[in-house]
Amino acid sequence: MSVELLGSLPEVTCTQIVLTAILLLLLSVYWYATSYHGVWERAGIPGPKPLPFLDHMLEFRRHGVEQTINKWFKTYGKNVGVYGLHPHRATLITKDLELAKQVLVKDFDNFVTRYRPRSSKGSFVDGISSTTDDRWRRHRHVTSPMFTGVKMKVMLQHIKASAETLTELIRQCVSKGELISVKLVASKFSTEVIARVGFGVQTHAVSKEESEFAHYARTFVNVSNDGFNKCIDLINHFVPHVLSLMMKVFPRTDFVNIDSDNYFKTIVTSTIKQRKEEKIKTHAGKVRDMLDLLLETEVAKDDPRLNDPQSKALSKDEIVGNSTMLILAGVETVSSALQGILYCLALNPDVQLKVLEEIDQVIPDGEDLEYEHLSQLKYTEQVINECLRLFPLIIFLMREASETRTYNGVTIPKGAIVTIPINLIMTDPELWPEPKKFDPERFTPENKAKRDPFSYMPFGYGPRICLGQRLAMMELKTIMVYLLKEFRFELSERTEPKKGVDIEMETIGGFVLRPVKPVEVEAVPR
């Protein structure tokens, strides 16, 4: 009977089997590509309808990320639920300052995790920027005291030495009639500061020749808009888990340059070994830089203190990770900020004159710059703040929700990414009248008091605010003093951009903002 029944079934051909397999594969891919859709519809959060597979990619490509998000805010309000802005994740984009306050400060414990669109195998993942929960709290407990006033005074001596070498480099350029390539000289300055402050290394930035340390610092991150990185971004968008596997086989797909990472790991580990040998010989530890401060906290990798969020303890891998993170964050942040500052000064000679007058008044000719002078440079700080408002290094703050919670009617599900577009907040006409206008008066004490503090956060906000904020501001003020004591900066027909032409910016890697062409200005001796 069973044989007769089988015989009565229609014959299945190879073609039918192949077509069935293809159909099942397509259904599986469709399910995977849309499995995280519907999150915001269920939560009652408005937003654009995503396309299968592509999400909102076509709109981003057609209009750009900033313009598209601005359009969504106008259409749906201050909270917009989207898909695919970050790989295979439901994302809430918000410019609601009250919600930002909940995420970054009030309910910080639910958003401890700082989301990163692309994973990495680089050593910096053992540093504070990549850690979460109790491990992050322990790192913060260790690293926060590194930026006290006493420590900053010591660092200022290193910064002044680096500022002098940069000033000499610009003197050489001026004597040859050359333009000042701001990104080049700014990177040399920030690299030398990190080398000195972090590791006691002198990189000799007085020459245009790039030192080995500076080269690897500049190439630390593989972030650009070239074909290779666009391909990697597509893979990461559609199948982020595949990219994680690819990094194990093809290290070059990591957004951290493996050669740079290995170079700095070698420097840090060899310096650690040297410092330990010196300590044994002298029977005393001399604190010279940040690495020495980190070494004071070293414990074995199985030490129980590593499980205590209140302890001041780091493993060797964590010391290396925090050291490479210092290079990764410190070099690019300051060099990009200085590029924006010198451009703004060249574009606004009346503002530059006021800065010059303040510097000359606070630090008369022949008097050396001291730590106490920096707090007196009030207008100079206003100029820096306004430049950071218009030219922030990053455009998003990103946090991952640990639990599903509701804030003033806005439900954020577990695992969703909250994205705060700080560049759009810091140029929102509702918060900043004439937002594209360069106006340092926005940062007078009176005007700051009238404004919500969450309307300005170039370094982030709350417990995870950039630890190096004070160091970065000290570097920027110091280099402005040294440069403006000797030079005025101007735009001309041969600069980039030319006088009367607006600077053109682009987004790289989805969240980094940079000029399309490196800024070049004229330096004129005073």
Side-chain angles (χ1 to χ4, degrees):
M1 182 66 181
S2 60
V3 174
E4 292 177 358
L5 182 60
L6 290 173
S8 65
L9 292 174
E11 184 177 349
V12 180
T13 66
C14 290
T15 301
Q16 290 173 322
I17 293 173
V18 171
L19 290 175
T20 300
I22 292 174
L23 178 61
L24 290 173
L25 178 62
L26 290 175
L27 288 173
S28 298
V29 171
Y30 179 83
W31 173 84
Y32 171 80
T34 60
S35 60
Y36 63 105
H37 290 178
V39 169
W40 302 120
E41 289 79 359
R42 291 190 293 272
I45 306 298
K49 186 175 178 60
L51 294 172
F53 306 104
L54 297 176
D55 297 319
H56 310 294
M57 184 180 293
L58 294 181
E59 202 162 2
F60 287 141
R61 291 292 173 88
R62 190 179 303 121
H63 304 294
V65 174
E66 182 174 333
Q67 290 78 6
T68 299
I69 293 176
N70 252 334
K71 186 187 78 171
W72 288 342
F73 282 143
K74 292 175 183 177
T75 305
Y76 303 106
K78 293 183 178 181
N79 296 303
V80 184
V82 302
Y83 306 91
L85 177 64
H86 304 307
H88 211 68
R89 304 295 286 267
T91 302
L92 179 70
I93 308 175
T94 182
K95 66 170 184 176
D96 181 341
L97 300 188
E98 284 303 314
L99 183 57
K101 191 180 300 182
Q102 291 284 349
V103 171
L104 299 175
V105 179
K106 289 187 175 180
D107 199 19
F108 171 75
D109 286 348
N110 193 39
F111 298 96
V112 175
T113 301
R114 178 184 285 166
Y115 176 73
R116 187 173 283 115
R118 278 176 62 176
S119 58
S120 174
K121 303 296 181 184
S123 59
F124 80 96
V125 299
D126 286 315
I128 187 172
S129 71
S130 301
T131 53
T132 61
D133 302 325
D134 285 349
R135 190 181 179 199
W136 172 81
R137 293 180 177 87
R138 175 169 52 80
H139 279 244
R140 183 78 177 193
H141 199 55
V142 168
T143 53
S144 291
M146 294 170 61
F147 297 94
T148 61
V150 173
K151 303 285 196 316
M152 299 292 280
K153 284 186 177 182
V154 175
M155 293 180 199
L156 179 59
Q157 304 311 311
H158 294 298
I159 295 170
K160 287 163 60 176
S162 300
E164 179 52 46
T165 58
L166 175 58
T167 306
E168 176 57 31
L169 177 59
I170 293 182
R171 289 189 199 111
Q172 293 178 9
C173 292
V174 170
S175 68
K176 298 174 183 176
E178 298 174 346
L179 291 174
I180 307 304
S181 178
V182 181
K183 184 64 176 177
L184 171 65
V185 297
S187 295
K188 282 180 170 294
F189 169 70
S190 59
T191 298
E192 179 160 337
V193 169
I194 290 301
R196 288 174 178 269
V197 169
F199 313 101
V201 174
Q202 295 190 32
T203 62
H204 307 294
V206 71
S207 166
K208 269 194 170 185
E209 295 298 320
E210 190 173 49
S211 70
E212 190 177 53
F213 192 101
H215 167 75
Y216 284 114
R218 179 178 58 81
T219 59
F220 208 145
V221 181
N222 292 318
V223 178
S224 69
N225 283 337
D226 61 19
F228 176 78
N229 277 288
K230 286 181 178 178
C231 181
I232 294 299
D233 285 339
L234 283 174
I235 295 172
N236 191 47
H237 176 87
F238 291 112
V239 280
H241 303 299
V242 170
L243 183 59
S244 297
L245 294 174
M246 286 178 62
M247 284 193 296
K248 295 179 180 179
V249 182
F250 306 107
R252 303 289 173 184
T253 57
D254 198 315
F255 79 87
V256 169
N257 185 312
I258 190 67
D259 293 332
S260 296
D261 193 50
N262 287 335
Y263 171 80
F264 288 116
K265 280 194 297 186
T266 300
I267 281 185
V268 174
T269 53
S270 63
T271 305
I272 288 174
K273 181 180 178 182
Q274 179 185 351
R275 300 282 172 89
K276 288 180 178 179
E277 291 174 351
E278 290 175 358
K279 190 173 181 179
I280 291 172
K281 291 177 181 178
T282 61
H283 303 287
K286 181 182 178 182
V287 176
R288 290 160 289 191
D289 44 46
M290 288 187 178
L291 183 57
D292 278 334
L293 293 170
L294 290 173
L295 283 174
E296 290 180 341
T297 69
E298 185 181 3
V299 298
K301 62 181 179 180
D302 57 351
D303 194 293
R305 284 173 289 182
L306 295 177
N307 298 318
D308 179 4
Q310 296 302 315
S311 72
K312 290 188 176 181
L314 294 175
S315 68
K316 183 178 179 180
D317 286 344
E318 290 172 335
I319 290 173
V320 173
N322 278 298
S323 298
T324 54
M325 185 64 235
L326 176 66
I327 300 165
L328 187 62
V331 170
E332 186 61 31
T333 302
V334 171
S335 64
S336 294
L338 186 54
Q339 184 170 218
I341 289 167
L342 292 186
Y343 166 71
C344 288
L345 291 177
L347 188 64
N348 299 274
D350 55 330
V351 171
Q352 184 171 182
L353 179 59
K354 288 184 69 174
V355 176
L356 288 172
E357 291 173 346
E358 180 182 69
I359 289 173
D360 287 343
Q361 181 181 0
V362 173
I363 311 150
D365 289 344
E367 188 172 328
D368 195 23
L369 172 66
E370 301 294 343
Y371 182 74
E372 290 70 24
H373 289 142
L374 298 176
S375 61
Q376 299 174 43
L377 297 173
K378 305 292 187 184
Y379 187 74
T380 303
E381 184 169 325
Q382 290 175 214
V383 170
I384 294 172
N385 287 335
E386 178 68 345
C387 291
L388 292 175
R389 183 186 72 83
L390 290 171
F391 300 104
L393 174 62
I394 60 172
I395 61 176
F396 295 141
L397 298 179
M398 297 168 284
R399 300 290 187 268
E400 182 176 344
S402 299
E403 299 177 5
T404 300
R405 293 184 186 173
T406 300
Y407 308 93
N408 298 323
V410 179
T411 298
I412 302 175
K414 177 181 179 180
I417 307 302
V418 178
T419 293
I420 303 170
I422 58 175
N423 66 318
L424 297 183
I425 290 173
M426 295 193 298
T427 53
D428 187 337
E430 293 182 10
L431 302 169
W432 307 88
E434 296 184 87
K436 297 297 184 179
K437 178 183 177 182
F438 179 76
D439 182 11
E441 296 302 316
R442 301 180 197 272
F443 291 93
T444 62
E446 297 78 18
N447 286 333
K448 286 173 65 177
K450 299 174 186 176
R451 205 166 46 237
D452 190 314
F454 282 80
S455 63
Y456 179 75
M457 40 186 170
F459 293 98
Y461 215 100
R464 288 207 83 141
I465 193 170
C466 175
L467 268 178
Q469 178 182 2
R470 290 184 67 190
L471 175 61
M473 291 297 289
M474 185 165 70
E475 289 180 58
L476 293 171
K477 285 185 180 181
T478 301
I479 194 59
M480 287 177 72
V481 168
Y482 272 75
L483 294 183
L484 295 178
K485 276 284 187 181
E486 294 200 30
F487 307 103
R488 294 192 323 275
F489 295 93
E490 300 176 352
L491 298 180
S492 69
E493 285 303 312
R494 65 176 190 149
T495 58
E496 178 56 53
K498 291 180 172 59
K499 188 175 183 178
V501 178
D502 291 335
I503 191 170
E504 186 180 355
M505 305 295 289
E506 64 178 342
T507 302
I508 297 179
F511 62 97
V512 176
L513 196 64
R514 290 180 185 170
V516 173
K517 297 180 180 178
V519 174
E520 293 184 314
V521 298
E522 303 269 10
V524 180
R526 289 180 62 186

